[in-house]
mmCIF file of all heavy atoms in Angstrom:
data_model
loop_
_atom_site.group_PDB
_atom_site.id
_atom_site.type_symbol
_atom_site.label_atom_id
_atom_site.label_comp_id
_atom_site.label_asym_id
_atom_site.label_seq_id
_atom_site.Cartn_x
_atom_site.Cartn_y
_atom_site.Cartn_z
ATOM 1 N N GLY A 2 32.670 -8.158 13.700
ATOM 2 C CA GLY A 2 32.061 -8.993 14.710
ATOM 3 C C GLY A 2 30.705 -8.485 15.153
ATOM 4 O O GLY A 2 30.195 -7.487 14.647
ATOM 5 N N SER A 3 30.126 -9.183 16.132
ATOM 6 C CA SER A 3 28.790 -8.853 16.615
ATOM 7 C C SER A 3 28.750 -8.784 18.125
ATOM 8 O O SER A 3 29.517 -9.450 18.827
ATOM 9 C CB SER A 3 27.772 -9.900 16.146
ATOM 10 O OG SER A 3 27.670 -9.938 14.735
ATOM 11 N N LEU A 4 27.845 -7.974 18.635
ATOM 12 C CA LEU A 4 27.551 -7.881 20.050
ATOM 13 C C LEU A 4 26.061 -7.646 20.220
ATOM 14 O O LEU A 4 25.420 -7.067 19.340
ATOM 15 C CB LEU A 4 28.303 -6.728 20.719
ATOM 16 C CG LEU A 4 29.760 -6.926 21.132
ATOM 17 C CD1 LEU A 4 30.304 -5.610 21.682
ATOM 18 C CD2 LEU A 4 29.889 -8.028 22.168
ATOM 19 N N ARG A 5 25.537 -8.083 21.341
ATOM 20 C CA ARG A 5 24.149 -7.833 21.669
ATOM 21 C C ARG A 5 24.078 -7.148 23.021
ATOM 22 O O ARG A 5 24.475 -7.719 24.035
ATOM 23 C CB ARG A 5 23.352 -9.138 21.704
ATOM 24 C CG ARG A 5 21.839 -8.941 21.867
ATOM 25 C CD ARG A 5 21.114 -10.280 21.865
ATOM 26 N NE ARG A 5 19.666 -10.134 21.954
ATOM 27 C CZ ARG A 5 18.854 -9.991 20.917
ATOM 28 N NH1 ARG A 5 19.348 -9.985 19.678
ATOM 29 N NH2 ARG A 5 17.539 -9.864 21.091
ATOM 30 N N LEU A 6 23.572 -5.929 23.027
ATOM 31 C CA LEU A 6 23.400 -5.175 24.253
ATOM 32 C C LEU A 6 21.992 -5.366 24.782
ATOM 33 O O LEU A 6 21.049 -5.561 24.020
ATOM 34 C CB LEU A 6 23.650 -3.682 24.025
ATOM 35 C CG LEU A 6 24.983 -3.278 23.403
ATOM 36 C CD1 LEU A 6 25.065 -1.761 23.307
ATOM 37 C CD2 LEU A 6 26.151 -3.835 24.205
ATOM 38 N N SER A 7 21.855 -5.298 26.090
ATOM 39 C CA SER A 7 20.553 -5.413 26.709
ATOM 40 C C SER A 7 20.395 -4.346 27.779
ATOM 41 O O SER A 7 21.360 -3.983 28.447
ATOM 42 C CB SER A 7 20.375 -6.802 27.334
ATOM 43 O OG SER A 7 19.086 -6.955 27.896
ATOM 44 N N CYS A 8 19.190 -3.846 27.919
ATOM 45 C CA CYS A 8 18.877 -2.834 28.919
ATOM 46 C C CYS A 8 17.653 -3.272 29.692
ATOM 47 O O CYS A 8 16.589 -3.506 29.104
ATOM 48 C CB CYS A 8 18.628 -1.484 28.244
ATOM 49 S SG CYS A 8 17.984 -0.205 29.340
ATOM 50 N N ALA A 9 17.809 -3.386 30.997
ATOM 51 C CA ALA A 9 16.701 -3.765 31.862
ATOM 52 C C ALA A 9 16.105 -2.522 32.501
ATOM 53 O O ALA A 9 16.829 -1.699 33.065
ATOM 54 C CB ALA A 9 17.173 -4.738 32.936
ATOM 55 N N ALA A 10 14.800 -2.384 32.410
ATOM 56 C CA ALA A 10 14.099 -1.231 32.950
ATOM 57 C C ALA A 10 13.026 -1.672 33.930
ATOM 58 O O ALA A 10 12.588 -2.822 33.922
ATOM 59 C CB ALA A 10 13.473 -0.409 31.822
ATOM 60 N N SER A 11 12.598 -0.761 34.769
ATOM 61 C CA SER A 11 11.465 -1.042 35.629
ATOM 62 C C SER A 11 10.211 -1.103 34.772
ATOM 63 O O SER A 11 10.113 -0.439 33.734
ATOM 64 C CB SER A 11 11.323 0.024 36.710
ATOM 65 O OG SER A 11 10.959 1.271 36.151
ATOM 66 N N GLY A 12 9.245 -1.891 35.206
ATOM 67 C CA GLY A 12 8.030 -2.051 34.422
ATOM 68 C C GLY A 12 7.270 -0.759 34.229
ATOM 69 O O GLY A 12 6.712 -0.509 33.154
ATOM 70 N N SER A 13 7.230 0.074 35.247
ATOM 71 C CA SER A 13 6.483 1.317 35.160
ATOM 72 C C SER A 13 7.078 2.266 34.123
ATOM 73 O O SER A 13 6.351 3.022 33.482
ATOM 74 C CB SER A 13 6.425 2.002 36.529
ATOM 75 O OG SER A 13 7.720 2.297 37.007
ATOM 76 N N ILE A 14 8.380 2.231 33.965
ATOM 77 C CA ILE A 14 9.041 3.066 32.968
ATOM 78 C C ILE A 14 8.912 2.446 31.583
ATOM 79 O O ILE A 14 8.529 3.112 30.617
ATOM 80 C CB ILE A 14 10.518 3.275 33.318
ATOM 81 C CG1 ILE A 14 10.645 4.120 34.589
ATOM 82 C CG2 ILE A 14 11.263 3.939 32.161
ATOM 83 C CD1 ILE A 14 12.069 4.302 35.072
ATOM 84 N N PHE A 15 9.219 1.167 31.481
ATOM 85 C CA PHE A 15 9.228 0.483 30.195
ATOM 86 C C PHE A 15 7.871 0.537 29.499
ATOM 87 O O PHE A 15 7.790 0.766 28.290
ATOM 88 C CB PHE A 15 9.655 -0.972 30.391
ATOM 89 C CG PHE A 15 9.814 -1.742 29.112
ATOM 90 C CD1 PHE A 15 11.005 -1.700 28.400
ATOM 91 C CD2 PHE A 15 8.770 -2.516 28.625
ATOM 92 C CE1 PHE A 15 11.150 -2.413 27.225
ATOM 93 C CE2 PHE A 15 8.911 -3.232 27.448
ATOM 94 C CZ PHE A 15 10.106 -3.174 26.747
ATOM 95 N N SER A 16 6.815 0.340 30.246
ATOM 96 C CA SER A 16 5.481 0.259 29.669
ATOM 97 C C SER A 16 4.929 1.603 29.218
ATOM 98 O O SER A 16 3.893 1.647 28.545
ATOM 99 C CB SER A 16 4.508 -0.379 30.659
ATOM 100 O OG SER A 16 4.352 0.429 31.814
ATOM 101 N N ARG A 17 5.586 2.671 29.561
ATOM 102 C CA ARG A 17 5.092 4.007 29.244
ATOM 103 C C ARG A 17 6.060 4.824 28.394
ATOM 104 O O ARG A 17 5.788 5.999 28.137
ATOM 105 C CB ARG A 17 4.800 4.776 30.540
ATOM 106 C CG ARG A 17 3.821 4.088 31.471
ATOM 107 C CD ARG A 17 3.712 4.836 32.796
ATOM 108 N NE ARG A 17 2.943 4.090 33.783
ATOM 109 C CZ ARG A 17 1.628 4.196 33.947
ATOM 110 N NH1 ARG A 17 0.929 5.026 33.179
ATOM 111 N NH2 ARG A 17 1.016 3.480 34.860
ATOM 112 N N SER A 18 7.141 4.209 27.953
ATOM 113 C CA SER A 18 8.207 4.985 27.334
ATOM 114 C C SER A 18 8.661 4.450 25.981
ATOM 115 O O SER A 18 8.597 3.258 25.705
ATOM 116 C CB SER A 18 9.432 5.023 28.251
ATOM 117 O OG SER A 18 9.112 5.548 29.522
ATOM 118 N N THR A 19 9.110 5.380 25.164
ATOM 119 C CA THR A 19 9.909 5.018 24.008
ATOM 120 C C THR A 19 11.306 4.670 24.519
ATOM 121 O O THR A 19 11.880 5.415 25.314
ATOM 122 C CB THR A 19 10.001 6.188 23.009
ATOM 123 O OG1 THR A 19 8.727 6.392 22.398
ATOM 124 C CG2 THR A 19 11.028 5.903 21.922
ATOM 125 N N MET A 20 11.826 3.535 24.093
ATOM 126 C CA MET A 20 13.147 3.103 24.522
ATOM 127 C C MET A 20 14.151 3.377 23.414
ATOM 128 O O MET A 20 13.833 3.294 22.229
ATOM 129 C CB MET A 20 13.152 1.619 24.863
ATOM 130 C CG MET A 20 12.152 1.208 25.938
ATOM 131 S SD MET A 20 12.434 2.045 27.528
ATOM 132 C CE MET A 20 14.067 1.414 27.946
ATOM 133 N N GLY A 21 15.370 3.682 23.816
ATOM 134 C CA GLY A 21 16.377 3.979 22.819
ATOM 135 C C GLY A 21 17.782 3.687 23.290
ATOM 136 O O GLY A 21 18.039 3.469 24.473
ATOM 137 N N TRP A 22 18.668 3.668 22.321
ATOM 138 C CA TRP A 22 20.093 3.524 22.586
ATOM 139 C C TRP A 22 20.825 4.731 22.027
ATOM 140 O O TRP A 22 20.573 5.147 20.891
ATOM 141 C CB TRP A 22 20.661 2.253 21.955
ATOM 142 C CG TRP A 22 20.238 0.996 22.643
ATOM 143 C CD1 TRP A 22 19.199 0.190 22.322
ATOM 144 C CD2 TRP A 22 20.877 0.402 23.778
ATOM 145 N NE1 TRP A 22 19.134 -0.875 23.188
ATOM 146 C CE2 TRP A 22 20.149 -0.774 24.089
ATOM 147 C CE3 TRP A 22 21.982 0.739 24.555
ATOM 148 C CZ2 TRP A 22 20.506 -1.599 25.153
ATOM 149 C CZ3 TRP A 22 22.328 -0.083 25.617
ATOM 150 C CH2 TRP A 22 21.591 -1.233 25.903
ATOM 151 N N TYR A 23 21.713 5.277 22.822
ATOM 152 C CA TYR A 23 22.582 6.366 22.426
ATOM 153 C C TYR A 23 24.016 5.931 22.650
ATOM 154 O O TYR A 23 24.283 4.964 23.367
ATOM 155 C CB TYR A 23 22.295 7.624 23.250
ATOM 156 C CG TYR A 23 20.972 8.289 22.947
ATOM 157 C CD1 TYR A 23 19.765 7.707 23.325
ATOM 158 C CD2 TYR A 23 20.924 9.520 22.290
ATOM 159 C CE1 TYR A 23 18.555 8.314 23.056
ATOM 160 C CE2 TYR A 23 19.712 10.140 22.020
ATOM 161 C CZ TYR A 23 18.536 9.533 22.406
ATOM 162 O OH TYR A 23 17.337 10.152 22.140
ATOM 163 N N ARG A 24 24.941 6.650 22.046
ATOM 164 C CA ARG A 24 26.342 6.337 22.271
ATOM 165 C C ARG A 24 27.165 7.616 22.297
ATOM 166 O O ARG A 24 26.799 8.626 21.713
ATOM 167 C CB ARG A 24 26.883 5.382 21.201
ATOM 168 C CG ARG A 24 26.944 5.964 19.793
ATOM 169 C CD ARG A 24 27.343 4.893 18.796
ATOM 170 N NE ARG A 24 27.455 5.419 17.440
ATOM 171 C CZ ARG A 24 27.659 4.669 16.368
ATOM 172 N NH1 ARG A 24 27.782 3.342 16.487
ATOM 173 N NH2 ARG A 24 27.756 5.228 15.168
ATOM 174 N N GLN A 25 28.292 7.537 22.984
ATOM 175 C CA GLN A 25 29.174 8.683 23.096
ATOM 176 C C GLN A 25 30.622 8.223 23.096
ATOM 177 O O GLN A 25 31.033 7.425 23.938
ATOM 178 C CB GLN A 25 28.878 9.474 24.374
ATOM 179 C CG GLN A 25 29.657 10.769 24.494
ATOM 180 C CD GLN A 25 29.159 11.634 25.637
ATOM 181 O OE1 GLN A 25 28.574 11.142 26.600
ATOM 182 N NE2 GLN A 25 29.374 12.927 25.522
ATOM 183 N N ALA A 26 31.375 8.730 22.144
ATOM 184 C CA ALA A 26 32.802 8.469 22.074
ATOM 185 C C ALA A 26 33.539 9.570 22.828
ATOM 186 O O ALA A 26 33.026 10.686 22.969
ATOM 187 C CB ALA A 26 33.268 8.414 20.624
ATOM 188 N N PRO A 27 34.757 9.295 23.315
ATOM 189 C CA PRO A 27 35.508 10.311 24.054
ATOM 190 C C PRO A 27 35.674 11.595 23.256
ATOM 191 O O PRO A 27 36.063 11.570 22.089
ATOM 192 C CB PRO A 27 36.857 9.637 24.300
ATOM 193 C CG PRO A 27 36.537 8.181 24.320
ATOM 194 C CD PRO A 27 35.470 8.016 23.263
ATOM 195 N N GLY A 28 35.367 12.723 23.879
ATOM 196 C CA GLY A 28 35.515 14.009 23.234
ATOM 197 C C GLY A 28 34.424 14.366 22.251
ATOM 198 O O GLY A 28 34.503 15.422 21.609
ATOM 199 N N LYS A 29 33.426 13.521 22.109
ATOM 200 C CA LYS A 29 32.347 13.776 21.166
ATOM 201 C C LYS A 29 31.004 13.854 21.882
ATOM 202 O O LYS A 29 30.862 13.408 23.013
ATOM 203 C CB LYS A 29 32.297 12.686 20.091
ATOM 204 C CG LYS A 29 33.540 12.611 19.221
ATOM 205 C CD LYS A 29 33.388 11.568 18.140
ATOM 206 C CE LYS A 29 34.608 11.515 17.238
ATOM 207 N NZ LYS A 29 34.451 10.489 16.170
ATOM 208 N N GLN A 30 30.027 14.430 21.198
ATOM 209 C CA GLN A 30 28.689 14.544 21.758
ATOM 210 C C GLN A 30 27.957 13.210 21.690
ATOM 211 O O GLN A 30 28.232 12.375 20.834
ATOM 212 C CB GLN A 30 27.875 15.605 21.011
ATOM 213 C CG GLN A 30 28.336 17.033 21.246
ATOM 214 C CD GLN A 30 27.369 18.049 20.676
ATOM 215 O OE1 GLN A 30 26.768 17.827 19.626
ATOM 216 N NE2 GLN A 30 27.203 19.155 21.364
ATOM 217 N N ARG A 31 27.032 13.030 22.607
ATOM 218 C CA ARG A 31 26.205 11.841 22.598
ATOM 219 C C ARG A 31 25.286 11.875 21.385
ATOM 220 O O ARG A 31 24.705 12.914 21.063
ATOM 221 C CB ARG A 31 25.384 11.768 23.887
ATOM 222 C CG ARG A 31 24.588 10.493 24.051
ATOM 223 C CD ARG A 31 23.911 10.446 25.418
ATOM 224 N NE ARG A 31 24.881 10.494 26.504
ATOM 225 C CZ ARG A 31 24.561 10.396 27.790
ATOM 226 N NH1 ARG A 31 23.293 10.233 28.152
ATOM 227 N NH2 ARG A 31 25.505 10.459 28.713
ATOM 228 N N GLU A 32 25.149 10.742 20.701
ATOM 229 C CA GLU A 32 24.320 10.673 19.516
ATOM 230 C C GLU A 32 23.320 9.532 19.614
ATOM 231 O O GLU A 32 23.575 8.508 20.252
ATOM 232 C CB GLU A 32 25.173 10.492 18.255
ATOM 233 C CG GLU A 32 25.940 9.183 18.208
ATOM 234 C CD GLU A 32 26.670 8.971 16.897
ATOM 235 O OE1 GLU A 32 26.439 9.756 15.948
ATOM 236 O OE2 GLU A 32 27.484 8.024 16.808
#
């Protein structure tokens, strides 16, 4: 299946930053 995630940021942060997605499963490190 499919899902679409969205992240809303403040303009001051968004316009000056590299944006990314990370994930973390229980008991595992964030990747």
